[in-house]
């Protein structure tokens, strides 16, 4: 058995890949402490100025708030749409269910730039008759993000419905429960963690979305990734290094925490 | 059963109105703007500049795909078959970058590779070079950045394939006296072939329409297809051309995905 474990060469190569994967995340740490106004390493004098700039500049705060608003609205909308869709498929099992699912997953598999162009075209048209949900508005970004994240919500809800025992619903049905009772009394309470997962997943993808956002916003509605993009494109602003460090710390804490939790759970099971 | 129809329809209606219909609008534009006919397609498929971008994109995407799948294979091998400690470490190395914003990751590479970046500073301090080596705003940086982004995506199909390998086959080969190298080349690698094909197609499809990393690390020097579409829309309004190129891209990617699904359906049988 032990002879079939990966050998030294594989471990060495894997180490190199691991270094490759982690290097850029570590590289931003020293850069974030530079005292200069351009991208550089702190030569002797370390400084917190770019962290301070992050907290004192109202633009960053505004963008943070925009991202949260867009994320919450888009993921709420996408979870409602996705849950209704999956429930319909699960309860009715219609003939073209596979085809419908394929259609709903389309924005996930289409090339991002094609989706961006399509949504830009769509919001431009909307702008002509409604100023609230058109190009470069909060409503417009929410709409575009909902299109992009709804496939992820559908996948998560579908997986949790797949794990649900159908007999529970059949029992309720045979006792004469109406469709709303079955949905709100039986099915939804049983997949509540799946719904929460779908919300978190949609929020994370909306929070990070940049490809489409670049096409559908310009000056009024600037999400956090959009502001990072602006700071990277024109002249590399070290504030982005400090923001990146903060974001990396949050992600690392969550991932490591999850791994530790999973390990503890595995140990207690033994 | 009628009420359930009201459940399925909203999302279909929503995506139909806000995604399918506008896409059909794009298709229409590709045939009508600026003049009706196939001129836009003729231009996209014959203009030397556009063709150069298409070839560069294909070439870079192939390189990126090979690098990503190769790296992903090695790290997945350890993630699936290593000792528990190694498994945990590799999982962290895969998952942390996966959840970090594509912009932070591109910025990390800029910090490492740019003229005043970490690598140039180290090399200068060590006295190995006098002037900075240009490592950004070129294809090298684009390949590095895109591979870094895509490795975690390649990991998932590979992990599924490796988990499905029957342990007993490997033990049998070991028992018959096959060398470790032979077990890997003649048994393990072919048995994970479907995972490799799946990962390759997935990474390739993802890399073709990818905009952010190439635009940042290429610095406008090596324009790829997605950036060309962006330029056509926002710099020199040429909607028809951008639309035609998008349609071509959609058809190419759709073809690859249909082939992938056919394959999977065959395997499932």
């Amino acid at each position: 058995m032990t002879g079939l474990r990966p050998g030294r060469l594989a471990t060495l190569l894997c180490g190199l890949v691991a270094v490759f994967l982690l290097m850029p995340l570590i590289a931003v740490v020293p850069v974030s402490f530079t005292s200069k106004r351009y991208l550089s390493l702190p030569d002797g004098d370390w400084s917190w100025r770019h962290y301070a700039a992050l907290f004192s500049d109202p633009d960053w705060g505004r963008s943070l708030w925009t991202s949260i608003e867009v994320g919450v609205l888009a993921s709420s909308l996408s979870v409602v749409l996705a849950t209704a869709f999956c429930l319909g498929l699960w309860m009715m099992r219609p003939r073209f269910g596979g085809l419908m699912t394929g259609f709903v997953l389309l924005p996930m598999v289409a090339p991002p730039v094609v989706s961006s162009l399509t949504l830009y075209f769509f919001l431009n048209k909307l702008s002509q008759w409604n100023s609230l949900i058109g190009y470069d508005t909060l409503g417009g970004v929410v709409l575009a993000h909902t299109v992009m994240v709804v496939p992820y919500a559908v996948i998560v809800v579908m997986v949790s419905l797949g794990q649900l025992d159908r007999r529970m619903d059949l029992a309720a049905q045979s006792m004469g429960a109406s469709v709303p009772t079955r949905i709100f009394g039986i099915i939804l309470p049983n997949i509540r963690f799946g719904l929460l997962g779908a919300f978190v997943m949609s929020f994370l993808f909306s929070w990070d979305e940049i490809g489409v956002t670049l096409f559908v916003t310009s000056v009024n509605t600037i999400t956090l990734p959009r502001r990072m993009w602006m700071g990277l494109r024109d002249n590399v602003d070290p504030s982005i290094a400090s923001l990146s460090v903060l974001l990396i710390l949050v992600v690392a804490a969550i991932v490591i925490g999850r791994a530790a939790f999973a390990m503890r759970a595995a140990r207690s099971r033994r | 059963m009628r009420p359930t129809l009201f459940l399925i329809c909203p999302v279909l209606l929503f995506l139909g109105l806000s995604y399918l219909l506008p896409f059909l609008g794009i298709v229409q534009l590709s045939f009508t703007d600026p003049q009706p006919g196939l001129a836009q397609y003729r231009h996209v498929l014959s203009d030397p500049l556009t063709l150069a971008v298409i070839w560069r994109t294909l070439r870079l995407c192939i390189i990126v795909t090979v690098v990503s799948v190769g790296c992903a294979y090695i790290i997945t091998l350890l993630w699936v078959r290593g000792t528990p400690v190694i498994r945990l470490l590799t999982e962290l190395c895969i998952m942390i970058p996966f959840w970090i914003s594509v912009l932070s990751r591109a910025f990390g590479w800029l910090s490492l590779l740019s003229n005043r970046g970490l690598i140039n500073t180290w090399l200068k301090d060590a006295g190995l070079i006098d002037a900075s080596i240009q490592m950004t705003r070129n294809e090298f940086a684009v390949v590095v950045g895109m591979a870094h982004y895509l490795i975690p995506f390649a990991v998932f199909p590979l992990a599924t394939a490796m988990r499905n390998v029957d342990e007993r086959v490997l033990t049998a080969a070991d028992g018959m006296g096959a060398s470790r190298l032979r077990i890997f080349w003649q048994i393990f690698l072919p048995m994970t072939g479907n995972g490799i094909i799946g990962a390759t197609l997935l990474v390739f499809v993802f890399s073709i329409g990818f905009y952010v990393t190439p635009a940042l690390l290429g610095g406008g020097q090596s324009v790829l297809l997605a950036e060309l579409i962006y330029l056509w829309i926002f710099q020199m309004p040429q909607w028809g051309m951008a639309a035609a190129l998008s349609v071509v891209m959609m058809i190419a990617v759709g073809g690859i995905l249909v082939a992938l699904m056919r394959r999977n359906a065959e395997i499932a049988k």
Side-chain angles (χ1 to χ4, degrees):
Chain A
M1 261 307 289
T2 47
L4 296 174
R5 291 249 182 243
R8 267 200 208 133
L9 180 66
T11 313
L12 179 76
L13 289 174
C14 176
L16 290 177
V17 175
V19 169
F20 176 74
L21 283 173
L22 294 183
M23 228 166 35
L25 313 184
I26 297 165
V28 294
V29 177
V31 172
S32 73
F33 288 106
T34 181
S35 59
K36 309 227 166 52
R37 295 188 54 191
Y38 49 83
L39 194 155
S40 59
L41 286 174
D43 43 355
D45 47 344
W46 294 56
S47 141
W48 287 96
R49 63 178 282 187
H50 298 296
Y51 288 90
L54 214 54
F55 288 102
S56 59
D57 187 345
D59 281 348
W60 284 111
R62 230 183 341 259
S63 293
L64 179 77
W65 185 238
T66 305
S67 268
I68 292 174
E69 270 181 318
V70 169
V72 169
L73 289 172
S75 41
S76 308
L77 204 57
S78 72
V79 168
V80 171
L81 287 171
T83 309
F85 174 72
C86 297
L87 274 177
L89 283 194
W90 193 77
M91 293 170 80
M92 189 158 84
R93 288 194 263 188
R95 263 221 298 205
F96 299 106
L99 203 65
M100 290 184 211
T101 313
F103 172 65
V104 173
L105 298 186
L106 206 57
M108 192 172 77
V109 290
V113 70
V114 176
S115 302
S116 308
L117 184 62
T118 304
L119 288 165
Y120 173 57
F121 178 78
F122 174 59
L123 292 187
N124 258 336
K125 287 268 175 278
L126 278 188
S127 295
Q128 287 165 10
W129 58 271
N130 190 323
S131 58
L132 279 176
I133 47 172
Y135 174 72
D136 200 18
T137 62
L138 190 75
V141 181
V142 169
L143 210 58
H145 276 209
T146 308
V147 171
M148 295 311 287
V149 301
V150 95
Y152 298 98
V154 165
I155 289 179
V156 177
V157 176
M158 230 171 223
V159 167
S160 49
L161 272 176
Q163 288 160 351
L164 187 66
D165 191 347
R166 215 173 251 286
R167 283 170 302 184
M168 220 160 19
D169 181 47
L170 286 177
Q173 200 184 350
S174 65
M175 314 242 289
S178 65
V179 170
T181 312
R182 281 161 60 199
I183 291 175
F184 291 103
I186 309 288
I187 304 177
L188 289 187
N190 274 300
I191 58 163
R192 57 186 186 279
F193 290 112
L195 298 183
L196 187 69
F199 182 85
V200 171
M201 191 87 160
S202 312
F203 183 85
L204 286 177
F205 277 98
S206 161
W207 172 261
D208 241 9
E209 214 302 315
I210 177 67
V212 169
T213 311
L214 277 180
F215 274 73
V216 302
T217 60
S218 67
V219 289
N220 295 323
T221 315
I222 302 178
T223 62
L224 202 61
R226 167 93 209 198
R227 189 166 297 283
M228 285 175 82
W229 167 269
M230 285 154 61
L232 278 174
R233 200 68 211 264
D234 309 335
N235 55 323
V236 179
D237 174 0
S239 297
I240 293 164
S242 33
L243 179 62
S244 292
V245 170
L246 296 178
L247 293 177
I248 288 169
L249 284 179
V250 172
V251 170
I254 293 173
V255 173
I256 292 173
R258 249 203 64 164
F261 186 76
M263 248 184 25
R264 256 205 16 214
R267 203 169 289 158
S268 65
R269 227 179 287 135
R270 242 183 265 151
Chain B
M1 274 292 125
R2 282 275 158 255
T4 44
L5 212 58
F6 291 105
L7 294 172
I8 297 183
C9 286
V11 80
L12 297 181
L13 216 59
F14 173 74
L15 285 180
L17 285 178
S18 56
Y19 197 73
L20 189 62
L21 209 61
F23 181 71
L24 293 179
I26 298 278
V27 175
Q28 190 199 2
L29 271 183
S30 73
F31 290 110
T32 56
D33 183 83
Q35 71 242 41
L38 290 169
Q40 290 71 243
Y41 286 93
R42 216 170 292 137
H43 179 93
V44 163
L45 297 174
S46 68
D47 169 47
L49 217 77
T50 314
L51 279 181
V53 174
I54 292 181
W55 288 128
R56 180 191 295 139
T57 308
L58 283 180
R59 184 164 48 83
L60 277 187
C61 287
I62 290 171
I63 298 174
V64 164
T65 305
V66 171
V67 173
S68 313
V69 175
C71 290
Y73 197 90
I74 296 164
I75 201 159
T76 313
L77 189 69
L78 274 278
W79 184 34
V80 173
R81 305 192 57 88
T83 57
V85 176
I86 287 187
R87 247 187 270 171
L88 182 73
L89 288 177
T90 45
E91 185 174 324
L92 294 181
C93 291
I94 296 164
M95 286 305 174
I96 292 176
F98 178 72
W99 284 113
I100 284 169
S101 155
V102 56
L103 289 164
S104 294
R105 291 158 73 175
F107 180 75
W109 283 111
L110 283 176
S111 313
L112 272 169
L113 301 175
S114 70
N115 287 347
R116 281 192 288 249
L118 254 70
I119 292 180
N120 269 317
T121 310
W122 282 335
L123 288 178
K124 270 189 226 161
D125 288 349
L128 291 172
I129 52 167
D130 297 322
S132 294
I133 306 173
Q134 174 81 25
M135 284 181 289
T136 54
R137 293 177 173 274
N138 55 25
E139 293 186 358
F140 167 75
V142 175
V143 169
V144 165
M146 283 176 75
H148 184 258
Y149 180 78
L150 290 166
I151 287 173
F153 289 95
V155 163
F156 301 121
L158 288 174
T160 312
M162 286 187 198
R163 289 202 179 103
N164 283 339
V165 169
D166 191 340
E167 190 78 23
R168 288 167 301 182
V169 178
L170 304 181
T171 319
D174 191 39
M176 311 273 262
S179 69
R180 295 171 52 86
L181 201 65
R182 191 155 170 209
I183 294 178
F184 180 74
W185 277 112
Q186 294 198 327
I187 300 171
F188 194 75
L189 200 63
M191 281 176 86
T192 52
N194 286 321
I196 298 175
I197 293 170
T200 305
L201 291 180
L202 184 78
V203 169
F204 187 72
V205 163
F206 267 36
S207 65
I208 280 190
F210 202 52
Y211 174 67
V212 176
T213 308
L216 285 176
L217 290 165
Q221 296 304 302
S222 48
V223 174
L224 300 190
L225 279 177
E227 199 172 1
L228 188 63
I229 290 180
Y230 185 90
L231 293 174
W232 274 345
I233 294 294
F234 292 99
Q235 309 266 309
M236 46 178 100
Q238 290 195 333
W239 271 89
M241 231 79 92
L245 189 53
S246 298
V247 172
V248 171
M249 244 164 137
M250 197 74 164
I251 291 171
V253 167
I256 296 176
L257 287 172
V258 168
L260 180 67
M261 278 194 288
R262 282 250 175 89
R263 252 193 78 87
N264 281 347
E266 262 168 45
I267 293 162
K269 273 183 212 155

